[in-house]
Amino acid sequence: MLESLKHDAVTELGGVLSGFWSGIEEQVRLAALAGHDYIAVQEDRVAVMALSHRALELATRFRESIEAEFSRWEHPSDTPQRERSLTLMSESELEVHLAGQQITELLDHQFLHPLAQLDERLRQLSAALGITRQRPNPLRPEVPVTAFVALFGADDLSTGLRSMVFQQFDKRLPKVLGELYEKANAILDAASFSASAPERVSGGAGRAGRAPAPAPRDAEGDGEWVPDGGTVPHLGGGPSNAAPAYPGGGASGGTTPAGGGGGGGGEAAATGRVREQVLAEALAAGRPLRYRDLVRDQLRAWRERAPGPADAADGIGYGPMQGTLVADGAPDGGHVLDTTELLNLASLLQGDDPEPFEKVLAGEDGRPLADVIRHALLSGVRQIGFDPAHTHFSSDEEDAIDLVGILFQSLFDANDLVGDARQLYGKLVVPYLKVALTDDSLFNRRSHPARRLLDAVTEACDGNEGKTPQDQETLNQAGHAVDRVVGEYQDDQAIFELAASELRDHLDQQRRRAELTEKRAAEAIHGRERLQQARRSAADLVASRLSERAMTAAVAHFLDRHWRHYLTQTWLRDGPDSARHLAAINVGDAMVQVDADAAEVRGAVVARQLLALQVPLGECYASCGMEATAARDAMARIISALALPDTPRTVHQPLLDEATDPADPGEDGVLRVAGGSAQLAFDPAIAARMRRLRVGQGLRLVDEDGHESAGRIAWISPLTGRFLIVNRRGVRKTVVSPEELAQMVAQGRAQVRSVDAPFDEAMKQLWQRINATSVNASGADRATGSG
């Protein structure tokens, strides 16, 4: 049976490349007729001709890769050691890999149901063959896509040819995979062991009589390096990849979102068993597996445990709508709205005043957003001919409403959304509810068009108060995209894709402006730091020459005013170790010595020194902006003071320069920290880790009100090591030293981790809320039981 499956897979998938390159050659020819870039056309022609000559070799390598995957499935011990070193990719290689990942993700979602069936039946086949160590499905979409990507070297595909090749592959592969999965499932279903599969998985009283042992963990992944912030979950083949982004920690890279320690393992395992049970029921019923099937029990448990709006600590609870939950019929004999009726209701609400939703998102209404959505829907139920008092939602629709409500509130909590952003998100609540009612992939497919639009709108609005013309233009573009969706969306999700693409194009233009803004902000901060450092150096030199030394008022005035300014200018223009700056220091030292010689009545020595200092003193006065006449008068005052032996001499205190006054930090509120950290209470170990951060590191910042927002290190000062932190749009948020950041981390006001896409971050917070509620409730139950 395994050999039959392998033969069919190699034959069918190998057919994808049959006549492949002749079709690409025709596309290149047609593109040449319509194009005007002769050089690009020639590059495409040369590249496709070279690949056509290698067609047989490429097809052979493609088939061998598929055969090798079956061999690895049958003999896991023969799997080659995975390369663990980090390598650099060229831009063309990266484009090819990203194109392959996108195709894999789309196919995983398209064939979710047949892949779930195939995984279960292959598990039974492996048990029959005595294969104890489980391997991924050798027929998953990732296998042919990876084999196809591996065919090309760094210079095999020109820029224009790359899109043609992957579009053609994406057009051919789904049809072949669909037929292959249907055939493979039929072959495996005909086997004697397939009849007891649902019973064995669900733990029924069938022939097996017990659930299968969990697959052992693949030892290859043990000890692998995990980057800061964890890894992004890959939506690869198999039923487990259809799981929500962060349900019980199952798909978040092994982390526990609720922050639990050892106690979270049992709950994660229980969640996994629930999902296995749901999967088994779906397979037994022969229906596609939906996202809500995987989270249904978790949502219901959360609704039972979550506090009502009056005592909800985080503003999210289930509240008074619990009585409307029904499974098979209305509790009072009323009408249960089906999906079509609910979609009609939502369509009637779409475009209405979003003020009720805005108030919840702005924190002006303490009710959960899901309850406000329910109230709005039930308020409009008369328009479709039903009595609101005897109309209820089904449990599936309740789940969709809850998910959308918590999602939008989590999105608002995870980003700095103010002003006009509230109205934009209020408008989007109803369209996204319609999407959630009909398409569960909104929650677990990163390439979903509605998901891409929400990411783009969030990036446009994050920290955007519209104070500059560019910021206002970005808000206007986001508003245009939202209005387009609200006005045109019925059931075609292409409108989300179109709106997201237009807004993303604008954001890409703004990002280039933001890069310039970041650069200017960094240059301004660097300039102020250099000026402050130069002034501090000059102040130290002046103080060392004036301290505990009696001298004439004229010389002391020169040192404290004109020489100080001259030192600052030479430090900034030429550097602290330059010959000019060292010469400027010598001028001040020479004036100190002249004053000392004059005090001892060494007239001839004083005269020679003053003659030698004429030119340096002239340069010093010129750097202070003094005219020739004013400079001569200043020189005359010094000569007059030094010529009289009885001129009074006292110890002078240097003036406190405004720029070096620690009580005046200047434009930047944390400049005083750059010179030291004696006033900060921080953990040296954490500070040492902060100093190792690099440009591009993501952060999560928490303000005084407990509101989170995304941040990124855009620049690190070479002088002080301070970090310029910006938001998603490149707008400056703050400037902090490593010690300050260590203090913020210790106080819980900052987290150093990767910055996810806005939708991903909102999903993470969604699951943290649900899991935290379940964990707290479980702990309370245990405490009550023990009491």
Side-chain angles (χ1 to χ4, degrees):
M1 186 177 298
L2 181 62
E3 288 299 322
S4 176
L5 288 175
K6 179 164 66 173
H7 177 269
D8 290 342
V10 173
T11 302
E12 299 291 337
L13 293 174
V16 173
L17 297 186
S18 178
F20 187 88
W21 299 110
S22 60
I24 297 296
E25 284 181 331
E26 180 64 16
Q27 291 183 44
V28 170
R29 188 184 68 82
L30 294 175
L33 295 176
H36 304 285
D37 191 343
Y38 176 77
I39 296 177
V41 168
Q42 288 301 109
E43 288 180 353
D44 293 346
R45 283 179 172 174
V46 171
V48 76
M49 286 177 61
L51 291 169
S52 296
H53 293 156
R54 298 169 51 205
L56 181 59
E57 173 211 339
L58 296 177
T60 302
R61 287 171 52 196
F62 184 73
R63 293 163 64 97
E64 288 175 347
S65 296
I66 297 169
E67 290 178 344
E69 187 66 26
F70 273 89
S71 298
R72 283 193 289 271
W73 185 85
E74 187 178 4
H75 305 289
S77 59
D78 295 340
T79 303
Q81 184 68 25
R82 187 184 305 173
E83 178 62 42
R84 299 187 181 184
S85 61
L86 299 177
T87 57
L88 294 176
M89 276 187 178
S90 66
E91 186 174 349
S92 60
E93 288 177 308
L94 184 58
E95 292 281 350
V96 169
H97 279 269
L98 290 176
Q101 289 178 6
Q102 184 176 11
I103 294 175
T104 301
E105 184 176 330
L106 294 174
L107 291 175
D108 284 336
H109 175 70
Q110 181 177 347
F111 296 110
L112 177 63
H113 177 50
L115 279 170
Q117 292 179 321
L118 195 57
D119 273 3
E120 173 57 29
R121 288 163 179 165
L122 282 172
R123 190 178 301 119
Q124 299 163 27
L125 177 60
S126 66
L129 291 172
I131 300 174
T132 57
R133 183 183 177 192
Q134 300 298 323
R135 290 288 302 167
N137 181 353
L139 291 173
R140 65 191 187 280
E142 183 184 359
V143 174
V145 174
T146 303
F148 186 73
V149 168
L151 297 179
F152 307 108
D155 302 322
D156 285 345
L157 297 176
S158 60
T159 303
L161 188 61
R162 188 185 306 125
S163 61
M164 294 183 192
V165 167
F166 277 93
Q167 285 176 6
Q168 179 85 340
F169 184 70
D170 190 25
K171 187 184 300 182
R172 289 183 170 213
L173 184 59
K175 182 180 178 181
V176 173
L177 282 179
E179 296 173 352
L180 179 62
Y181 292 156
E182 183 178 356
K183 190 172 183 179
N185 272 315
I187 292 174
L188 291 169
D189 191 40
S192 59
F193 55 76
S194 65
S196 61
E199 296 173 345
R200 180 158 63 248
V201 177
S202 61
R207 212 177 336 178
R210 66 178 187 277
R217 183 177 179 182
D218 191 348
E220 289 178 289
D222 293 344
E224 283 194 12
W225 174 78
V226 178
D228 290 344
T231 57
V232 177
H234 171 62
L235 301 179
S240 61
N241 295 305
Y246 301 96
S252 61
T255 61
T256 53
E267 293 176 12
T271 302
R273 288 193 295 271
V274 169
R275 288 202 298 270
E276 289 180 4
Q277 176 72 18
V278 172
L279 172 60
E281 292 173 359
L283 291 174
R287 62 176 171 82
L289 188 65
R290 302 172 309 161
Y291 182 82
R292 273 171 286 173
D293 290 330
L294 296 166
V295 301
R296 179 181 57 204
D297 293 333
Q298 243 177 329
L299 271 176
R300 290 179 181 175
W302 172 77
R303 279 195 287 260
E304 294 173 0
R305 301 292 188 181
D311 57 346
D314 59 359
I316 291 185
Y318 187 62
M321 298 300 296
Q322 285 174 314
T324 65
L325 278 176
V326 293
D328 301 316
D332 56 358
H335 178 71
V336 179
L337 293 172
D338 60 24
T339 301
T340 303
E341 292 168 337
L342 195 53
L343 285 172
N344 291 336
L345 265 179
S347 297
L348 292 174
L349 289 176
Q350 188 169 318
D352 283 359
D353 184 10
E355 184 179 3
F357 306 139
E358 293 177 39
K359 288 184 176 180
V360 175
L361 295 175
E364 299 172 4
D365 187 338
R367 292 178 296 169
L369 180 58
D371 284 357
V372 178
I373 296 173
R374 290 186 183 91
H375 183 270
L377 291 170
L378 289 175
S379 297
V381 79
R382 291 187 187 277
Q383 300 181 49
I384 60 173
F386 297 109
D387 181 8
H390 298 89
T391 303
H392 309 274
F393 305 113
S394 70
S395 57
D396 277 354
E397 315 317 337
E398 291 279 3
D399 291 343
I401 293 171
D402 278 328
L403 282 171
V404 171
I406 306 174
L407 171 68
F408 269 78
Q409 288 193 262
S410 298
L411 196 65
F412 240 72
D413 291 343
N415 297 278
D416 187 15
L417 304 175
V418 295
D420 295 342
R422 298 170 181 173
Q423 185 178 21
L424 297 183
Y425 283 85
K427 291 180 178 179
L428 287 175
V429 168
V430 175
Y432 275 79
L433 174 62
K434 291 171 64 176
V435 175
L437 289 169
T438 56
D439 185 4
D440 287 339
S441 66
L442 168 68
F443 300 102
N444 67 334
R445 179 161 66 92
R446 284 191 172 86
S447 60
H448 195 287
R451 193 163 176 159
R452 293 183 63 241
L453 174 64
L454 207 53
D455 281 342
V457 171
T458 303
E459 290 180 27
C461 297
D462 186 22
N464 190 348
E465 299 180 6
K467 292 183 177 179
T468 67
Q470 293 81 7
D471 288 347
Q472 189 59 51
E473 181 186 4
T474 300
L475 286 177
N476 292 339
Q477 289 290 338
H480 175 71
V482 170
D483 290 340
R484 186 165 195 169
V485 168
V486 173
E488 300 180 26
Y489 174 62
Q490 293 302 324
D491 54 10
D492 186 3
Q493 295 179 7
I495 189 64
F496 288 96
E497 184 69 38
L498 181 60
S501 298
E502 292 177 352
L503 181 56
R504 182 61 65 185
D505 290 342
H506 174 78
L507 290 176
D508 289 342
Q509 296 176 2
Q510 291 294 86
R511 186 171 291 109
R512 288 189 284 272
R513 294 181 187 176
E515 290 173 356
L516 293 176
T517 303
E518 290 177 20
K519 183 178 179 181
R520 289 171 185 158
E523 290 174 348
I525 296 170
H526 187 52
R528 289 199 299 274
E529 286 183 346
R530 293 187 72 249
L531 176 60
Q532 187 184 40
Q533 211 164 36
R535 285 173 170 173
R536 185 180 292 114
S537 173
D540 291 342
L541 288 170
V542 170
S544 66
R545 271 57 175 182
L546 293 179
S547 63
E548 300 179 359
R549 182 179 284 119
M551 63 178 61
T552 60
V555 174
H557 181 271
F558 166 78
L559 295 175
D560 203 14
R561 294 295 180 88
H562 304 121
W563 187 53
R564 180 197 296 267
H565 188 273
Y566 190 36
L567 290 172
T568 303
Q569 291 294 318
T570 55
W571 194 103
L572 287 173
R573 293 175 180 174
D574 302 286
D577 299 323
S578 64
R580 190 161 178 258
H581 183 67
L582 296 176
I585 295 175
N586 291 334
V587 171
D589 290 339
M591 290 299 297
V592 171
Q593 184 61 45
V594 167
D595 188 270
D597 290 339
E600 297 180 6
V601 196
R602 297 178 181 176
V605 175
V606 170
R608 284 196 301 271
Q609 289 177 329
L610 288 175
L611 287 173
L613 286 171
Q614 272 190 318
V615 174
L617 288 175
E619 292 181 0
C620 178
Y621 287 130
S623 73
C624 299
M626 295 179 66
E627 297 178 352
T629 302
R632 283 195 295 271
D633 291 343
M635 289 270 301
R637 285 192 294 272
I638 292 176
I639 293 172
S640 175
L642 296 177
L644 300 175
D646 58 347
T647 301
R649 287 174 169 79
T650 59
V651 176
H652 294 266
Q653 294 295 325
L655 297 175
L656 184 63
D657 189 87
E658 292 182 359
T660 59
D661 185 355
D664 181 15
E667 181 182 345
D668 192 313
V670 291
L671 276 178
R672 62 179 180 274
V673 182
S677 54
Q679 299 178 353
L680 291 175
F682 61 90
D683 186 338
I686 299 178
R689 288 196 290 269
M690 298 303 102
R691 294 187 193 98
R692 292 198 294 268
L693 298 181
R694 295 294 178 261
V695 171
Q697 173 65 53
L699 304 166
R700 295 293 301 178
L701 304 177
V702 183
D703 62 17
E704 296 177 353
D705 299 327
H707 184 79
E708 282 194 23
S709 60
R712 172 175 57 84
I713 296 178
W715 174 77
I716 301 177
S717 169
L719 292 176
T720 63
R722 296 189 308 154
F723 305 129
L724 168 62
I725 300 176
V726 300
N727 65 7
R728 294 185 193 274
R729 298 185 304 109
V731 178
R732 166 179 160 170
K733 291 181 70 69
T734 185
V735 180
V736 294
S737 67
E739 293 78 16
E740 282 181 309
L741 188 56
Q743 187 182 50
M744 292 172 65
V745 170
Q747 294 173 349
R749 294 167 50 208
Q751 296 177 5
V752 180
R753 61 179 176 82
S754 59
V755 176
D756 296 323
F759 201 104
D760 287 343
E761 190 66 41
M763 288 298 294
K764 184 182 297 182
Q765 290 212 5
L766 183 154
W767 286 112
Q768 285 176 346
R769 292 176 187 274
I770 295 177
N771 289 340
T773 303
S774 301
V775 169
N776 292 338
S778 300
D781 290 345
R782 285 194 295 270
T784 303
S786 63

